[in-house]
Amino acid sequence: MWIVPESAIAGLVDEQSAFDAVEATFAAMSRGDAYNFPVVREGLGEGRQYGFKSGLDRVGNLLGVKSGGYFPGNAARGIPNHQSTVFLFDPDSGRPTAMVGGNLLTALRTAAASSISVARLARADAKVLGMVGAGHQSAFQMRAAVRQRDFEKVIGWNLHPDMLSRLAETAQDLGLPFEAVELDQLGAEADVIITITSSDKPILQDAHIRPGTHLACMGTDTIGKQEVAAEILGRATVFTDEVAQSVTLGEAQHAVAAGLLAQEAITEIGAVINGGHPGRSSADEITVFDGTGVGLQDLAVASKAVELAIARGLAQEVAV
Ligand code: NAD
């Protein structure tokens, strides 16, 4: 069994390898070669959350689980509040094959998912990237997105303006101008909008969104969270990583509950990757990607990390 600690991940998995691994996983899910097991999430008290995301990819030879959660006392300990570890198993024998630090991988696989949606669904001439949210994930989201189109500018909004410096610094690092804007301007100017917040009520309203926009809604991964008005999904073409999660705990939960969106109208992004769905059909279409975050994404990037760590002598082998 191989161990790849959190400290080794940064030099191993980059944006492109995360993109490739997650895209292959979405394609496998849509072909029916891979599926996610039901998510387990439990409150431990004092704001702590703990759970499991797991799945099987028969063709990609992935079986495993990401275990982890949210531990709000960690900031005072000087360690991240979000903690996760991926365990991989041999799908034939069930024997453990690897234990992999999952914190950075979670950010990379989440950013890979939205960047896949930008690559597949945004207008080819998209120039302005709009960011809603400026927390830990936002920098990863921006870095992955700008690889997919010739963006000339990043604009951003956040409930807590003091956090906007993260977006400004990331854009500067990427050689792009950044402007903090109000939501009206964000909707009017952005060709692609990524939402990545912990909001529990709509931030973007229907009137904010103009024809041709692509939205990647990435923050809503739990029942009750919401980032955009349900009406937006009602008039958009909606894509997701997994339909079952989208309608229960993703952004689409609200539009489906309100009767504005039928479950059958939601398309897995894997169908676009596999060529079974054309994706965007016109320059005026509004597309939404409801990125809920599935366990197979975690297994895919963890497996890539193990492969690279072994090749570079960075994995530790232990007997089981
Ligand atoms: P963070 O705590 O670092 O940042 C939180 C962000 O949400 C900040 O921009 C903050 O200003 C904003 N925010 C907080 N409360 C808000 C409110 N009531 N209304 C509007 N905005 C609010 O978190 P993070 O690590 O950047 O994660 C952001 C979100 O993404 C979380 O909801 C997290 O659960 C989710 N997430 C989703 C996936 C996925 O696969 N879809 C993966 C990782 C994280």
Side-chain angles (χ1 to χ4, degrees):
M1 173 182 174
W2 297 99
I3 297 178
V4 183
E6 185 67 43
S7 56
I9 302 294
L12 287 173
V13 179
D14 60 14
E15 279 120 5
Q16 188 60 50
S17 45
F19 182 103
D20 293 342
V22 172
E23 191 170 59
T25 285
F26 287 162
M29 283 165 54
S30 186
R31 285 194 310 268
D33 291 335
Y35 70 105
N36 297 285
F37 305 159
V39 175
V40 173
R41 198 162 169 85
E42 293 288 325
L44 304 183
E46 292 145 3
R48 294 167 300 159
Q49 293 280 331
Y50 181 70
F52 310 103
K53 284 190 167 181
S54 51
L56 168 69
D57 182 341
R58 296 184 193 87
V59 175
N61 222 27
L62 295 174
L63 174 68
V65 57
K66 179 169 84 169
S67 145
Y70 183 72
F71 300 84
N74 283 2
R77 301 182 182 105
I79 54 175
N81 287 348
H82 285 98
Q83 287 293 326
S84 60
T85 307
V86 182
F87 297 88
L88 298 174
F89 300 88
D90 177 351
D92 291 326
S93 66
R95 282 172 65 85
T97 56
M99 183 178 110
V100 187
N103 294 349
L104 178 56
L105 287 178
T106 297
L108 289 169
R109 66 76 145 146
T110 307
S114 67
S115 75
I116 289 165
S117 83
V118 175
R120 297 283 176 176
L121 300 171
R123 292 192 336 270
D125 63 353
K127 295 285 179 235
V128 178
L129 173 63
M131 299 290 310
V132 175
H136 179 69
Q137 304 293 331
S138 64
F140 295 91
Q141 292 285 322
M142 192 196 302
R143 286 182 187 283
V146 299
R147 297 168 63 87
Q148 307 308 329
R149 288 294 182 269
D150 292 327
F151 289 111
E152 294 173 351
K153 182 180 172 186
V154 182
I155 56 180
W157 179 92
N158 194 50
L159 181 67
H160 309 103
D162 51 308
M163 295 172 78
L164 284 165
S165 56
R166 176 182 268 122
L167 298 182
E169 283 159 21
T170 307
Q172 186 180 29
D173 202 34
L174 292 164
L176 288 168
F178 173 77
E179 191 183 346
V181 296
E182 293 304 323
L183 289 170
D184 286 350
Q185 190 182 342
L186 189 129
E189 283 189 22
D191 302 304
V192 171
I193 300 175
I194 297 175
T195 60
I196 184 75
T197 72
S198 335
S199 178
D200 57 4
K201 48 183 173 302
I203 299 169
L204 285 169
Q205 307 301 323
D206 195 26
H208 288 134
I209 304 304
R210 65 188 170 114
T213 306
H214 172 64
L215 289 109
C217 300
M218 304 304 297
T220 299
D221 56 359
T222 308
I223 293 168
K225 284 189 189 172
Q226 185 172 13
E227 298 189 289
V228 308
E231 290 75 14
I232 296 172
L233 280 80
R235 68 183 170 115
T237 309
V238 180
F239 299 83
T240 187
D241 39 25
E242 188 192 88
V243 174
Q245 285 199 180
S246 173
V247 300
T248 51
L249 52 80
E251 192 64 40
Q253 63 183 289
H254 308 287
V256 170
L260 297 169
L261 175 69
Q263 175 167 337
E264 301 71 39
I266 305 174
T267 303
E268 283 191 358
I269 190 95
V272 182
I273 297 166
N274 290 335
H277 187 287
R280 168 175 292 277
S281 61
S282 78
D284 281 348
E285 188 176 16
I286 296 169
T287 51
V288 168
F289 175 66
D290 183 5
T292 66
V294 295
L296 280 165
Q297 281 172 261
D298 298 300
L299 307 190
V301 289
S303 174
K304 188 71 194 173
V306 174
E307 177 194 317
L308 293 169
I310 292 171
R312 296 184 200 169
L314 293 171
Q316 298 159 34
E317 192 169 19
V318 294
V320 288

